[in-house]
Amino acid sequence: MSSDKCVIVIAGIPDDVYFCHICYIVENLAMILTNFKYKKIFKSAFEWKPWLRKICYRWNWSHTKSPLIWKKVGLSKNNVTYIGGVNQFWEFLHLHYNISDYITQDELEKLQLDYSFMYKATLKLPSVKVPLIQHRCITVLGAGKALCVDLIPQLITIKELWLTHGIIINLYDEPGCYFKIKHIVQDMEAIGGGLYVARIITNISDGLYDCDILINLDVVSKEEHENIPAWLRSNYNSMAKLAKLINRYASPEMKVLFCSTSISCFCVNVLHVLVTKLPKTNIVAVSSHYGLDIMYNFLTKFNLPVYNFGCPPVWGFLGINYFVDVCHMVQKYEVYKPNNRAMFAEKDTTLPLGFKYPELRYFCYLAHDKNPYEGHFERKAVTYYQVGRTENFQICKAICELLKLWYADNIGDEIISLGISSNGSFGIPKGLVFSQPVHLKILKDGSRIWLPFTDFPLPCIPLYIFNNLILTAVILNKQFIKG
């Protein structure tokens, strides 16, 4: 279905003569007009009232009897418009197609009998498995940010996210960012990759209904003269609005990623309290980019290749405080182990005297007395001056690597940094969203959740400083979050 195709949906009871008459009309109209699309929903008299009550509550309609007719535009299940019943549908046909029809009561009853037989026959038919057209739907909030220009092309090339028909991207931002988003959409269509369609949405609810992954890049910026409590309150109010929309429109399987330099852990904590439709394990704060940000500049001082290192662990209540633990950055090192022959062999021997094997080790043996931020801010300032904006590579990589691991066919033993709800490990109070080393685990029902990797050592800072990071988060949560 194209992004602007209109489908007329007619729902009703097969015993209702008016429902059958309308079905007859749309079937014939579809044969005449190739662009006229329709869908019929048959419900038994027993099913009708509960189903009607549910659909009216879902869309806030007031409708009491068969048939119920509405139109749906585009790919989103959320873009629907109520038409009404029989009389309203005739007005719709007359207005748009200049069609009017008259049929006798006797003919109506015969028509109803035909549809009733057809409905009963379909109930007796064996079910046939039809291959589903599947898309992975990703909605990005704050799509007007410069980060989105770099992020989206990388997202649509992640094969782990592709389903049978690729990825649908929904882009949303506040009014005033339309032209930026429009250019992003044009660039995406040129790239192709796993993209099925890219859409600009005007309401967050439009992007939540069929969404698999919600990526929030939006930031409630702190004003120059705004104090911290007022700033936190603004963020809380923003998250409360988002939570209300998620509870109403989102799928229970949707995953939510926060990734910004704002107070992402605080925002995730708010959603954990206010969102009742999603499990807490589905809402996380991306944090690896803090480690990636200083990693390259730090390792160049030692003339060591970056590809032999894992991202340093990131601890903290992101946006308020954090600590990048370069001492416990994992290094892949090649070790040479000589054999017994090496003790007695002659200098010009061609026989092997040992073998090399890879070993993982912490980087504390070189990093324990080094300042990872030395020269870091100068390099960022130069980059900003040369490019005209901040670097986005680290954030894009952090988001994409997280999604690759989360949706991979087989999970490995990777350990990453992520802001999740604590289970009490590392001395972090249970329920507090705090960035820490985590690993992916598959539950019995097949769902995947991130859990703290409890075997990882505590950060290489005095314990009282680490406890202060935690205490700050606890105090702020108690002040603003109830639950």
Side-chain angles (χ1 to χ4, degrees), residues 36-332:
F36 183 86
K37 304 296 178 183
Y38 70 94
K39 178 183 177 182
K40 295 180 293 185
I41 299 176
F42 289 89
K43 294 291 176 182
S44 67
F46 177 76
E47 298 172 313
W48 174 251
K49 284 188 177 180
W51 180 86
L52 180 63
R53 196 180 305 116
K54 184 178 179 181
I55 202 82
C56 287
Y57 175 78
R58 169 71 180 83
W59 299 113
N60 198 23
W61 293 338
S62 178
H63 196 91
T64 56
K65 60 183 181 179
S66 171
L68 169 65
I69 305 158
W70 71 90
K71 66 177 180 178
K72 184 167 81 75
V73 179
L75 292 164
S76 174
K77 298 176 183 177
N78 205 33
N79 192 3
V80 301
T81 303
Y82 174 74
I83 293 177
V86 177
N87 294 332
Q88 292 82 4
F89 185 66
W90 284 119
E91 291 174 6
F92 175 84
L93 288 181
H94 185 73
L95 177 65
H96 293 279
Y97 300 99
N98 195 25
I99 292 175
S100 57
D101 186 38
Y102 173 76
I103 191 168
T104 65
Q105 187 65 29
D106 185 51
E107 290 172 323
L108 273 176
E109 290 174 359
K110 290 178 181 178
L111 193 62
Q112 181 270 322
L113 195 61
D114 285 342
Y115 274 95
S116 183
F117 280 135
M118 182 189 71
Y119 172 66
K120 290 174 183 176
T122 56
L123 292 178
K124 296 177 182 178
L125 290 174
S127 60
V128 179
K129 289 187 177 180
V130 180
L132 295 175
I133 297 177
Q134 294 180 315
H135 313 93
R136 183 88 65 197
C137 185
I138 302 175
T139 297
V140 180
L141 305 183
K145 304 286 184 294
L147 164 62
C148 196
V149 178
D150 300 322
L151 175 63
I152 299 300
Q154 295 184 47
L155 280 179
I156 62 179
T157 57
I158 299 176
K159 293 186 178 180
E160 287 83 354
L161 298 180
W162 297 0
L163 295 178
T164 57
H165 283 63
I167 300 172
I168 295 174
I169 299 286
N170 294 320
L171 301 177
Y172 172 82
D173 210 325
E174 296 298 326
C177 297
Y178 174 79
F179 291 105
K180 292 181 183 178
I181 300 176
K182 185 179 179 182
H183 289 308
I184 294 173
V185 171
Q186 291 172 347
D187 292 341
M188 288 163 59
E189 291 172 347
I191 293 170
L195 181 67
Y196 180 75
V197 69
R199 305 181 294 203
I200 300 173
I201 55 176
T202 55
N203 297 296
I204 295 177
S205 57
D206 293 339
L208 291 179
Y209 187 75
D210 49 1
C211 179
D212 297 301
I213 303 169
L214 176 67
I215 300 176
N216 191 346
L217 306 178
D218 215 353
V219 176
V220 179
S221 302
K222 183 178 178 296
E223 301 297 332
E224 185 177 354
H225 301 293
E226 189 178 22
N227 58 35
I228 296 294
W231 178 46
L232 291 171
R233 178 58 59 189
S234 298
N235 277 272
Y236 180 91
N237 293 337
S238 175
M239 290 302 102
K241 292 177 183 177
L242 179 60
K244 189 178 293 186
L245 293 171
I246 290 174
N247 285 332
R248 179 165 186 181
Y249 297 104
S251 160
E253 290 80 32
M254 185 178 77
K255 295 176 174 60
V256 183
L257 277 63
F258 279 77
C259 191
S260 69
T261 53
S262 186
I263 46 176
S264 51
C265 278
F266 176 81
C267 293
V268 171
N269 248 134
V270 175
L271 290 189
H272 281 184
V273 173
L274 300 181
V275 172
T276 57
K277 199 171 188 179
L278 308 180
K280 292 181 180 180
T281 50
N282 279 21
I283 310 174
V284 299
V286 180
S287 61
S288 296
H289 55 289
Y290 286 96
L292 294 171
D293 197 31
I294 68 168
M295 186 176 166
Y296 174 79
N297 189 60
F298 183 58
L299 291 177
T300 51
K301 299 174 184 177
F302 302 96
N303 294 319
L304 294 171
V306 176
Y307 57 79
N308 279 340
F309 288 83
C311 179
V314 179
W315 302 82
F317 195 60
L318 304 177
I320 299 295
N321 57 45
Y322 71 92
F323 175 72
V324 180
D325 187 11
V326 291
C327 288
H328 288 121
M329 182 165 48
V330 177
Q331 178 188 12
K332 183 180 179 182

Side-chain angles (χ1 to χ4, degrees), residues 12-35:
I13 306 169
D15 295 334
D16 176 18
V17 293
Y18 299 107
F19 169 66
C20 297
H21 187 199
I22 289 174
C23 288
Y24 174 76
I25 294 296
V26 296
E27 286 172 2
N28 285 275
L29 195 57
M31 288 190 287
I32 300 169
L33 303 174
T34 55
N35 65 338

Side-chain angles (χ1 to χ4, degrees), residues 323-375:
F323 175 72
V324 180
D325 187 11
V326 291
C327 288
H328 288 121
M329 182 165 48
V330 177
Q331 178 188 12
K332 183 180 179 182
Y333 203 82
E334 199 170 62
V335 178
Y336 180 78
K337 185 175 182 179
N339 54 28
N340 292 333
R341 187 187 298 115
M343 301 291 293
F344 311 103
E346 297 179 3
K347 289 184 178 181
D348 55 350
T349 182
T350 57
L351 295 173
L353 303 179
F355 62 94
K356 295 179 180 180
Y357 66 95
E359 178 182 89
L360 298 180
R361 58 173 66 171
Y362 292 124
F363 197 53
C364 54
Y365 71 97
L366 281 179
H368 68 281
D369 59 347
K370 302 294 190 299
N371 178 11
Y373 289 98
E374 185 180 343

